[in-house]
Amino acid sequence: TSRSFKTQAAPPSVPEFAFAFDIDGVLVRSSDPLPRAHKALSYLQKNRIPFILLTNGGGKHEDERVADLSSKLDVPLSTTMFVQSHTPFADMHEYKDKTVMVVGGDGDKCRLVAEQYGFKTVVTPIDIIWAYPEVWPFSQQLLPYYQPFARPLPAPIDPASPSTSLKIDAVFVYNDPRDWGLDTQIIKDVLLSRQGILGTLSAKNGDASLPNKGYQQDAQPPLYFSNPDLLWAAKYHLPRLGQGGFREALEGVWAALTGGPSDGVQLQKIVMGKPHHPTYAFAEKRLIAHRKTLVRQPDGLAAPLRRVYMVGDNPESDILGGNSYESPHGTDWASVLVQTGVYVEGTEPAHRPRKTVGDVWDAVEWAVREER
Ligand code: G3P
Ligand code: MG
């Protein structure tokens, strides 16, 4: 007798569209979740529509930030669906065995993140002011706060013997600096030193007869910023200065010291994070890998990812980045601007989004309707 085989209907394959959500100003305002963020993310998870979180924020290890967001938003999240500003620093293996300076964040949290990424010798401005309080006269009142985060320097700052003095091979700004004065002073000391040897000044420095006020760059240690954000949406009702604000202040000091971009020495820097292409490429790779984990097809295959809705509050990072990213897979990145963060309703955004909506739930509703 022929047995009737009930063909097992293959589970619905994972949709051909997905979401990338910015965090600050879209899902949370500092530590407060936005009203419909939970509804938006749980709807997508219930309907197995893939999404990742793509933020210029940072300051904690991905594990910690994801656990924090998961409990705040009351939605299960994993690091496979998470990219923050300094996540790509973890792949910079060429510096893992060198001496790097990490700037920004609370206390020494960012140092601990760098060490979890595998950087073996990490120095912070707090280590330096703790060892040499005179390096920045105006933060003495903070020394008691800094004490628990300070570690002994791997080498002394001793200009009399440069060969054994502390040498910084690269500077990484992981997150928004808390003490702009101290961090500006220390970064300036590194960048105007001889080959990163703290306590020295570049060889041709100080000779007023030289062009650009005499600061002639030796091999300047590279300076990495994890994001360009001039403004971001925190708890306060108006946008706050972000890491880009610190960079602009540093650029002003640099121009004054070296003669500025006109006849001076350009501040050599690498600025990462949204809207820059490498960050979106990194995020797309992570989204495609995460989407694969949702596939239940027996052959594990899924139709190619056709569209990503990039939902953000900042035209300069989320919308510009979403609009200009050219996917090597031909995936269409559609930017969706929400009015719960930096962007002010009714104003003309600097970069035109595919769609402007009220909040993150409106963004999901509109996109799902688009896909029907
Ligand atoms: O430091 C956080 C700020 O730069 C913006 O973060 O999540 O809006 O990209 P986000
Ligand atoms: Mg934002």
Side-chain angles (χ1 to χ4, degrees):
T1 54
S2 70
R3 286 179 300 161
S4 67
F5 284 91
K6 196 170 157 316
T7 47
Q8 172 72 23
S13 168
V14 69
E16 295 174 20
F17 67 100
F19 289 82
F21 291 106
D22 171 42
I23 296 178
D24 291 297
V26 174
L27 300 172
V28 299
R29 291 290 296 247
S30 290
S31 53
D32 298 343
L34 280 159
R36 302 203 292 182
H38 169 79
K39 179 179 179 180
L41 299 188
S42 11
Y43 170 87
L44 295 176
Q45 288 193 329
K46 200 158 111 285
N47 293 280
R48 290 188 40 244
I49 299 171
F51 65 86
I52 58 165
L53 305 184
L54 172 56
T55 177
N56 274 349
K60 298 172 182 166
H61 191 270
E62 285 70 15
D63 296 340
E64 189 181 343
R65 191 84 205 277
V66 160
D68 184 45
L69 283 165
S70 187
S71 82
K72 263 201 202 80
L73 296 166
D74 189 18
V75 163
L77 298 169
S78 75
T79 51
T80 62
M81 55 208 290
F82 183 69
V83 176
Q84 60 181 349
S85 62
H86 45 75
T87 306
F89 288 173
D91 295 347
M92 301 176 96
H93 304 294
E94 65 274 30
Y95 292 110
K96 299 275 175 90
D97 295 323
K98 300 209 173 218
T99 301
V100 300
M101 177 174 287
V102 164
V103 175
D106 286 324
D108 67 345
K109 271 193 167 295
C110 289
R111 185 222 304 275
L112 300 176
V113 174
E115 290 176 336
Q116 283 175 276
Y117 285 173
F119 290 89
K120 296 196 181 46
T121 311
V122 183
V123 169
T124 67
I126 289 176
D127 300 339
I128 293 173
I129 192 171
W130 185 255
Y132 301 93
E134 63 282 8
V135 78
W136 178 243
F138 306 117
S139 289
Q140 307 304 305
Q141 74 284 10
L142 294 175
L143 287 172
Y145 166 73
Y146 286 151
Q147 191 273 325
F149 308 120
R151 283 210 207 140
L153 293 171
I157 294 180
D158 179 3
S161 59
S163 61
T164 55
S165 189
L166 177 59
K167 180 177 182 302
I168 301 296
D169 297 308
V171 180
F172 291 88
V173 181
Y174 266 62
N175 191 245
D176 306 81
R178 275 33 177 192
D179 185 342
W180 282 25
L182 171 62
D183 293 347
T184 300
Q185 177 66 73
I186 299 297
I187 292 176
K188 173 258 169 209
D189 285 350
V190 173
L191 298 186
L192 284 176
S193 69
R194 278 211 305 279
Q195 272 96 22
I197 298 170
L198 271 175
T200 65
L201 269 179
S202 60
K204 300 181 182 162
N205 161 59
D207 174 348
S209 65
L210 288 174
N212 55 57
K213 298 191 181 173
Y215 284 113
Q216 199 66 31
Q217 276 313 295
D218 294 308
Q220 178 192 324
L223 169 60
Y224 291 90
F225 289 93
S226 69
N227 88 51
D229 289 354
L230 184 61
L231 298 169
W232 67 296
K235 213 173 274 192
Y236 191 65
H237 67 286
L238 297 176
R240 301 296 77 191
L241 287 171
Q243 191 181 138
F246 170 74
R247 180 179 46 72
E248 292 294 348
L250 176 69
E251 300 247 24
V253 168
W254 179 265
L257 284 167
T258 65
S262 50
D263 66 349
V265 180
Q266 274 286 2
L267 176 62
Q268 307 298 320
K269 61 196 180 276
I270 301 105
V271 183
M272 300 171 73
K274 299 176 289 182
H276 302 300
H277 183 277
T279 294
Y280 278 84
F282 188 95
E284 185 176 60
K285 229 167 42 191
R286 192 152 280 195
L287 175 54
I288 290 169
H290 171 66
R291 180 170 175 261
K292 277 209 176 81
T293 67
L294 304 179
V295 173
R296 300 246 176 81
Q297 303 305 83
D299 59 7
L301 294 180
L305 180 62
R306 187 174 32 77
R307 176 168 298 143
V308 177
Y309 290 94
M310 173 68 220
V311 182
D313 71 298
N314 188 337
E316 298 298 341
S317 60
D318 306 311
I319 306 308
L320 173 58
N323 291 350
S324 48
Y325 176 60
E326 301 275 326
S327 164
H329 310 285
T331 306
D332 169 35
W333 280 66
S335 60
V336 185
L337 181 60
V338 297
Q339 297 166 356
T340 50
V342 167
Y343 168 67
V344 178
E345 187 177 348
T347 60
E348 188 57 35
H351 305 283
R352 184 179 301 281
R354 191 79 58 93
K355 178 74 178 169
T356 300
V357 294
D359 71 357
V360 64
W361 173 247
D362 296 326
V364 167
E365 261 196 329
W366 171 76
V368 169
R369 262 203 313 275
E370 284 292 292
E371 295 297 331
R372 276 215 180 101

